[in-house]
Amino acid sequence: MSELVYAESSPGVGVVGLITGSAGLGKTSVTVRGAHTVRPSFPGGVYFIDLFGMSQHPLSSDDALSVLLRALGVPAPQVPGGLQERASLYRSLLHDKRALVVLDNAASEQQVRPLLPTEGVSRALVTSRRLLAGLEGVRRLVLGPLASPDSMRLLTGVLGERAVSDEESALTRLAELCGGLPLALRIIGNRLASRPEWDAAELASRLADEESRLDQFKAGDLKIANAFGMSYEQLSDRARRLFRRLAVVPGRDFDATLAAVAGGMAMEDAWNALDDLVDLGLLQDSSSGRYRFHDLVRLFARNRFKEEESPAGREAVTGTVTSWLLRMATMAGRWFEPGYGWPDRPDPDLAVLAAAEEADGWLRANADNWVGAMRAAMSGSKEHSLVLDCAESMHWFSERWVHSPHWHEVFTLGSRAAAAQGDLAQQATQLNYLAWFHSVPPAAPEAALRCADEALELATRSGATAQIAWSLEYTAGALLQLGKPGEASTFSSRAAETFKSIGDTDCYVQCLANVAHCLRSQGRYAEALEQYRTGLALIDDEGSGMTPSVALHSRPFALIRIGQCLGHLGRRTEAITMLDAAIGLLDTLQISDFRQAGALAELASLLADEGRTDESRLTYARAAQVYEAIGDTEARHRCHVLATGGS
């Protein structure tokens, strides 16, 4: 607080500190405490005035100046009649007085400007829910939610001695549910402190129910919904409509395009309404152009949505957002399917994604939204075809984002949607995708076997030959992970023969690689090497029948496997060359997953064996970064130790 009031003023400009933030963050409390702390530095006095900025009738600048002038010792009859005259007298009195004026709860720049001191020794502190971006030359402090330790300190401080008897885990959970809002923490603390017989764990359990959570945040005349409601009432009708309809967005954040869809408005109108919501602290924005609710504000928006929109209106808005997200995700996912890319006739209401990189970015940024839309569509027993299309479109994209936490739910919902439509072949397809998911480290091979077995049964009943082969292949992968390479090789060979018989070279090459994996796991490195090279020859042969994009994607993994075999055979120089080339290709394709991390670690080990210590450590460091990004802490630690010269 001191840095807001102690700085030197510029000519013609007073020192003004502006404290902003959304409802419930304790702007007034922070400012009053700060003013009390610095009071000895202001012998001319500290003056506080509430400008009632969130009321329907904020205090006018005229009336505020009249109050301040009387506080500064001007008799009521001597208070000038005009705004300019009052402001002039007010500033002249402050010029040499060294006073601090606290202007709490400001409504607008227009209201507060006449109340600010100009050059001189006096200072002002202004609080507002609005950003007051039009004020120039002010020092800003934007308050945000408290961090977890600070939330706990505030809550236990309100509870006093009672905090000793409550379970720490229950208090921690209560603090989390308050979302770092000081007002919420004070309300919950007051409720517990005033009811000694209440159990903190029971209150936490009641707060866990989102449907009734907001109603629990009340203690006497304190009610957090009222604080949010005051901001809501300041909005235009258009901004209110957008605010409450944004409650149907499934994910934690969203961009302006999705906001326009939810609000049913043009982009320009959405931008303006979003600016208003951010200005009043009802939304948080970021440098990436995305917006998000505080958890409790989202619940308030949801309540407004239920109370102010008709049942038919709510259903229409939810259906519009759900459908748009599913169709948008499907279009984005198909950028990565062989033979797709930019659709010839895109839906006119969808956002334009002009390149694969844009589609990739959209899918990652909006994953919680489109997965949430899949969930909503299935729970409503509608749009099964859209859900299935969306899940199917993720097949190729999932290879680019292997470690996404969403794939289990995506392909489970896809399987359920196919079952709801009675499409056995598609149900088998989605179950095979689930088997793939369970094969990605940290693998769950038993679960992969169950999915592949169910897929095989459905594919056999429906005559889906390709899915029969994929079931065999995923069974082989699971068996290999379970340490049964002999059995795995049998299943992979059967899958390879099936794919070859139907002319699917893409999948045939993948099965050949899995047969080689089985050989390598048995220590038969020379045989595995020849098998890998057979696959690479097909990848490199433009006349082999492989889809060019699939061949491009497959090549670095073939090089990795060849390099690993060469390393095991003691041919380190060749192995280093192969692995280095493979990693370069993965970088070009922007693929960073467990396979790249493993290749980096293997390369680092070979470089160390060759005495190339500096290169080895740099490569281990990079491997550690990839392992950290995918959440493998054990491998990350191991590589970090080797990168730093540990043992």
Side-chain angles (χ1 to χ4, degrees):
M1 189 64 66
S2 59
E3 63 270 17
L4 295 182
V5 297
Y6 285 153
E8 291 297 322
S9 62
S10 302
V13 180
V15 174
V16 178
L18 174 61
I19 299 94
T20 60
S22 60
L25 287 174
K27 296 177 293 298
T28 299
S29 297
V30 168
T31 304
V32 169
R33 281 201 308 272
H36 180 75
T37 300
V38 301
R39 183 168 188 164
S41 300
F42 294 96
V46 175
Y47 301 87
F48 179 96
I49 184 169
D50 187 346
L51 300 177
F52 297 100
M54 287 296 106
S55 74
Q56 292 298 315
H57 303 287
L59 193 65
S60 69
S61 302
D62 270 341
D63 291 342
L65 282 169
S66 178
V67 172
L68 287 167
L69 285 170
R70 292 199 302 272
L72 288 165
V74 179
Q78 296 178 24
V79 173
L83 175 64
Q84 293 302 323
E85 291 80 4
R86 288 182 182 183
S88 179
L89 177 58
Y90 166 71
R91 285 166 173 162
S92 67
L93 290 173
L94 289 178
H95 188 274
D96 299 316
K97 192 174 181 64
R98 194 157 187 81
L100 176 63
V101 181
V102 178
L103 306 170
D104 189 43
N105 197 11
S108 66
E109 296 92 337
Q110 183 179 8
Q111 179 199 38
V112 82
R113 276 196 184 100
L115 313 180
L116 302 178
T118 53
E119 59 185 351
V121 294
S122 288
R123 305 290 188 256
L125 287 174
V126 183
T127 75
S128 179
R129 292 189 191 181
R130 295 187 180 275
L131 297 176
L132 302 185
L135 291 182
E136 299 177 355
V138 300
R139 291 168 172 79
R140 297 177 179 272
L141 174 62
V142 180
L143 298 184
L146 298 176
S148 296
D150 295 326
S151 294
M152 278 293 286
R153 277 192 289 273
L154 177 55
L155 179 60
T156 54
V158 174
L159 289 173
E161 294 182 0
R162 168 172 179 150
V164 179
S165 60
D166 285 312
E167 293 182 11
E168 184 177 352
S169 59
L171 295 181
T172 299
R173 180 58 178 152
L174 284 172
E176 290 173 353
L177 290 167
C178 290
L181 285 187
L183 177 59
L185 290 159
R186 287 201 302 272
I187 289 173
I188 293 303
N190 287 341
R191 293 193 72 183
L192 283 175
S194 61
R195 295 170 175 82
E197 72 282 2
W198 275 22
D199 180 65
E202 181 182 345
L203 180 56
S205 177
R206 287 158 63 182
L207 286 175
D209 181 5
E210 284 194 350
E211 293 301 316
S212 61
R213 184 182 303 169
L214 211 58
D215 291 335
Q216 299 296 325
F217 285 99
K218 58 184 178 182
D221 62 351
L222 283 177
K223 190 173 182 181
I224 201 162
N226 291 343
F228 299 150
M230 292 176 70
S231 295
Y232 183 69
E233 291 302 318
Q234 299 291 312
L235 297 169
S236 66
D237 290 343
R238 178 182 61 197
R240 288 184 199 176
R241 183 172 72 251
L242 179 60
F243 172 77
R244 60 181 180 260
R245 291 183 176 185
L246 284 171
V248 307
V249 173
R252 292 186 61 82
D253 63 8
F254 49 88
D255 59 16
T257 303
L258 181 51
V261 172
M265 58 183 63
M267 276 298 301
E268 188 62 33
D269 291 336
W271 280 118
N272 291 333
L274 288 167
D275 284 345
D276 289 344
L277 293 172
V278 171
D279 188 43
L280 274 166
L282 290 170
L283 280 182
Q284 304 162 21
D285 62 353
S286 69
S287 58
S288 63
R290 300 188 69 79
Y291 301 83
R292 67 187 303 164
F293 284 112
H294 184 280
D295 289 345
L296 295 180
V297 177
R298 180 191 293 275
L299 295 179
F300 176 76
R302 188 180 299 173
N303 285 353
R304 294 295 90 209
F305 184 64
K306 290 179 180 178
E307 293 181 15
E308 298 182 32
E309 302 272 356
S310 67
R314 294 198 300 269
E315 184 176 356
V317 172
T318 303
T320 296
V321 171
T322 299
S323 171
W324 187 88
L325 283 168
L326 291 175
R327 290 181 291 115
M328 189 73 194
T330 301
M331 181 185 73
R334 284 180 173 158
W335 264 99
F336 308 99
E337 293 184 19
Y340 277 90
W342 174 249
D344 292 333
R345 296 180 180 178
D347 290 349
D349 64 324
L350 297 183
V352 174
L353 300 172
E357 291 73 21
E358 291 183 24
D360 183 293
W362 189 92
L363 286 167
R364 291 176 192 253
N366 291 281
D368 287 342
N369 287 319
W370 57 262
V371 175
M374 293 180 72
R375 193 184 307 125
M378 286 304 299
S379 66
S381 301
K382 295 179 181 179
E383 307 287 9
H384 293 146
S385 61
L386 286 181
V387 173
L388 182 55
D389 285 348
C390 186
E392 178 60 30
S393 73
M394 296 301 147
H395 173 212
W396 287 92
F397 177 67
S398 64
E399 273 286 320
R400 290 175 64 99
W401 195 16
V402 169
H403 297 283
S404 166
H406 302 287
W407 299 132
H408 182 269
E409 185 174 13
V410 167
F411 297 133
T412 297
L413 290 170
S415 174
R416 285 175 50 199
Q421 292 187 299
D423 191 333
L424 299 184
Q426 268 296 337
Q427 192 178 357
T429 300
Q430 299 299 312
L431 286 166
N432 274 328
Y433 296 161
L434 273 174
W436 165 83
F437 164 79
H438 288 301
S439 71
V440 174
E446 296 288 358
L449 279 176
R450 288 194 297 272
C451 291
D453 188 57
E454 187 178 353
L456 179 60
E457 191 269 333
L458 291 169
T460 301
R461 283 169 54 193
S462 63
T465 304
Q467 294 309 315
I468 291 173
W470 274 120
S471 301
L472 296 172
E473 178 67 354
Y474 286 124
T475 297
L479 289 170
L480 184 58
Q481 289 174 328
L482 288 168
K484 301 177 180 179
E487 294 179 56
S489 182
T490 300
F491 277 92
S492 263
S493 296
R494 287 174 57 194
E497 291 168 6
T498 304
F499 281 126
K500 189 174 184 180
S501 70
I502 61 176
D504 192 332
T505 309
D506 294 340
C507 299
Y508 172 66
V509 169
Q510 188 166 329
C511 292
L512 290 181
N514 211 26
V515 171
H517 296 344
C518 297
L519 293 170
R520 190 182 67 188
S521 69
Q522 293 173 299
R524 298 160 64 180
Y525 300 118
E527 296 171 73
L529 178 61
E530 289 309 308
Q531 187 84 344
Y532 285 135
R533 281 181 164 158
T534 298
L536 181 61
L538 290 171
I539 291 170
D540 289 342
D541 182 1
E542 294 182 0
S544 68
M546 284 196 77
T547 305
S549 61
V550 176
L552 181 67
H553 184 274
S554 301
R555 193 169 198 279
F557 302 115
L559 295 178
I560 288 172
R561 294 154 186 159
I562 290 171
Q564 290 168 335
C565 279
L566 288 168
H568 283 296
L569 292 169
R571 297 159 63 177
R572 289 197 295 263
T573 301
E574 296 172 78
I576 288 170
T577 300
M578 285 289 179
L579 290 170
D580 195 50
I583 292 164
L585 289 174
L586 291 175
D587 289 341
T588 300
L589 294 171
Q590 297 182 326
I591 295 174
S592 182
D593 56 29
F594 71 97
R595 294 166 296 188
Q596 185 195 44
L600 286 163
E602 184 89 21
L603 176 59
S605 176
L606 291 167
L607 289 169
D609 290 342
E610 287 288 285
R612 297 160 65 175
T613 305
D614 290 344
E615 293 175 76
S616 173
R617 289 182 176 177
L618 287 172
T619 307
Y620 271 127
R622 189 174 172 205
Q625 291 174 346
V626 178
Y627 277 125
E628 182 174 19
I630 65 177
D632 191 335
T633 54
E634 183 179 342
R636 179 262 171 201
H637 175 71
R638 183 173 63 251
C639 289
H640 176 72
V641 169
L642 292 167
T644 55
S647 57

